[in-house]
């Protein structure tokens, strides 16, 4: 056996997006496409000679083959050891944990997250650094630069080891260690939450439905919820990861997790419901007859985190992405802790967590997590809610109502226009961008524009600057809308319109969010003109 050096030519479309490189699966399966990008990762991080890595993915179509290609390339590039989840499987938070636990030099995670999987659907790959978090922009820029001049890659000329057999084997000089993907992660959860109290909850006939959407969280949720916490068998539904997610779109929001929503809003629905996404880092929280928006979930967790043993000493600070509602800001003010506002993308939280400035982070895109790993963590958020319910004795609806009464309510919604032709999406975006300077002082119904700008961020830890991170139109009184182009889609362009309005009138805390936000939706339409520019009468997805 030997090292093969394969001649190749660069691809011009390998720029990582919000979270790594995501394309149609067949693009990755094309000659040299995956290999070029993997070699660019290795070269972009200064080579992997003598390094230790974690590799795994969410089990979607092509996961197994891609893991084996990466192992053969790591061996050919001189890596010392690669830790792989059994069967090539690892949830994104579990991969982050393994990197940190084993102090490896980084890891490669295969997933297109919440995007559908299958031969005709989506695939993705991203690199995480030694802190367990998604590579920051400086690293992804270096990787992208390498993709542009790729002329050859190295691959081991021999079969990768059997990924189903636990333990060590060799690929050339490199050690391949196949580990149980679940147990280390489940052990970590036991250190953070009051498993005794949650066990008591389930022993007391508390009912729950966790929809794993035929994706990676199934085995994790079954082990933690059913085996370790005593939730009834069958609590976890769609619990077997399938290469095409059983045809489900594993995006935990009310639109795509509609089976769960129907169950939770039925007469005999369970007390508590949750769903996770393709790679296990997103979460949706639902009570019986009550949906919790991700921004409210973040705020409520911030207010109650002290109930969980891992957070009993309080939070040093919190962070949210810019488009996420300011509900958590109000909690932070009440707690007397800082709240940081970052661009969209979990990678922007890493420095803040590493520096000990924040321990809780969240995004409107169904992501919540803490400094226990450096990724958002779907099951972690579910356990945090269970811990809070067990500690307070209050249900989801009761907790939420009390929260709004204390802090007021940031009505919030996101309207997505998906798979729009790129030039039309650009036209709508650039029109607003050009109009920003003239918007201050203009009026739409009862709304006066106080400020309109393009968000930019200077990292308070390393001073790095990230410009052009979304357009904000802010009205007097705290309402606003934000327009962004998604960085995770694979077909055309997706425009995201984020809408927010603050309300503290006790009689106005129980409105339908779309009704509460109607004046802002109307102002956004007048200012941007979605119907005319995009030719779409309404958004495709509303969360
Ligand atoms: C990724 C990022 C998140 C981001 C989300 C949506 O999540 O990790 O930080 O909020 O994409 O990004 P965009 O609005 O650009 O589509 P995931 O779960 O897809 O990895």
């Amino acid at each position: 056996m030997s090292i093969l050096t394969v001649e190749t030519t660069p691809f011009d479309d390998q720029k990582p997006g919000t979270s790594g490189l995501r394309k149609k699966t067949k693009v990755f399966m094309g000659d040299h496409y995956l290999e070029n990008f993997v070699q660019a990762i290795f070269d972009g991080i200064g080579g992997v000679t003598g390094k230790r890595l974690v590799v795994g993915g969410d089990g979607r179509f092509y996961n197994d083959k891609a893991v084996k290609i990466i192992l053969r390339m790591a061996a050919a590039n001189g890596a010392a050891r690669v830790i792989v989840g059994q069967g090539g499987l690892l949830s994104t938070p579990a991969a982050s944990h393994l990197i940190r636990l084993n102090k490896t030099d980084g890891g490669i995670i295969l997933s297109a997250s919440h995007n559908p999987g299958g031969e005709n659907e989506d695939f993705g790959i991203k690199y995480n650094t030694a802190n367990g978090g998604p590579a920051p922009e400086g690293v992804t820029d270096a990787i992208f630069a390498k993709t542009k001049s790729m002329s050859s890659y190295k691959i081991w000329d021999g079969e990768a080891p059997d990924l189903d057999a636990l333990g060590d084997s060799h690929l050339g000089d490199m050690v391949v260690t196949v580990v149980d993907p679940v147990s280390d992660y489940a052990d970590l959860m036991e250190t953070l939450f009051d498993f005794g109290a949650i066990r008591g909850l389930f022993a007391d006939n508390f009912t729950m439905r966790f929809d794993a959407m035929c994706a990676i969280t199934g085995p994790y949720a079954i082990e933690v919820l059913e085996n370790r916490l005593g939730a009834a068998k069958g609590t976890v539904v769609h619990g077997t990861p399938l290469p095409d997610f059983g045809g489900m779109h594993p995006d935990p929001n009310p639109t795509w997790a509609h089976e769960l929503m129907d169950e939770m809003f039925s007469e005999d629905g369970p007390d508590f419901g949750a769903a996770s996404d393709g790679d296990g880092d997103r979460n949706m929280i639902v009570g019986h007859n009550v949906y919790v928006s991700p921004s409210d979930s973040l705020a409520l967790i911030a207010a109650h985190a002290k109930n969980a043993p891992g957070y009993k000493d309080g939070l040093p600070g919190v962070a949210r992405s810019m488009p996420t509602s300011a509900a958590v800001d109000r909690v932070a003010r009440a707690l007397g802790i800082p709240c940081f506002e970052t661009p969209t993308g979990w990678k922007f939280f890493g420095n803040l967590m590493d520096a000990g400035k924040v321990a809780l982070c969240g995004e409107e895109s169904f992501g919540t997590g803490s400094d226990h790993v450096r990724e958002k963590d779907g099951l972690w958020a579910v356990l945090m809610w269970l811990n809070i319910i067990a500690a307070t004795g209050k249900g989801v609806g009761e907790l939420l109502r009390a929260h709004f009464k204390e802090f007021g309510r940031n009505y919030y919604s996101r309207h997505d226009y998906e798979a729009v032709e790129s030039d039309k999406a650009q036209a709508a975006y650039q029109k607003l961008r050009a109009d920003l300077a003239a918007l201050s002082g203009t009026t739409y119904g009862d709304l006066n524009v106080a400020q309109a700008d393009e968000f930019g961020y200077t990292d308070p830890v390393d001073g790095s600057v990230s410009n052009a991170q979304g357009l904000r139109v802010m009205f007097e009184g705290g309402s606003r809308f934000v327009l962004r182009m998604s960085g995770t889609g694979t077909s055309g362009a997706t425009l995201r319109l984020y809408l927010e309005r603050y309300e503290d009138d006790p009689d106005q805390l129980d409105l339908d969010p779309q009704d509460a936000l109607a004046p802002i939706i109307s102002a956004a339409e007048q200012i941007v003109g979605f119907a005319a520019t995009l030719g779409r009468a309404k958004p495709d997805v509303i969360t």
Side-chain angles (χ1 to χ4, degrees), residues 18-19 22 113-114 277 281-282 344-346 363 365 376 484-488 496 498:
T18 308
S19 185
R22 293 185 190 169
S113 186
H114 54 290
D277 68 332
D281 56 2
R282 294 187 177 205
T344 294
W346 204 263
E363 294 185 277
S365 55
K376 56 190 185 276
R484 261 190 80 245
M485 294 274 226
S486 159
T488 56
R496 303 203 195 283
Y498 310 82

Side-chain angles (χ1 to χ4, degrees), residues 337-412:
I337 58 174
C339 177
F340 296 85
E341 184 180 35
T342 63
T344 294
W346 204 263
K347 59 192 171 207
F348 292 103
F349 295 137
N351 277 348
L352 296 170
M353 288 194 266
D354 286 348
K357 290 182 181 295
V358 305
L360 172 71
C361 306
E363 294 185 277
E364 52 66 41
S365 55
F366 296 83
T368 333
S370 87
D371 59 355
H372 65 290
V373 291
R374 292 293 182 275
E375 289 278 4
K376 56 190 185 276
D377 188 343
L379 196 49
W380 174 92
V382 173
L383 292 169
M384 180 59 100
W385 268 88
L386 285 170
N387 197 141
I388 292 169
I389 291 167
T392 60
K394 292 183 179 148
V396 176
E398 210 182 334
L399 282 165
L400 214 50
R401 281 190 295 277
H403 188 88
F404 294 154
K405 204 168 155 207
E406 183 175 353
F407 296 99
R409 178 168 181 181
N410 287 68
Y411 281 103
Y412 190 83

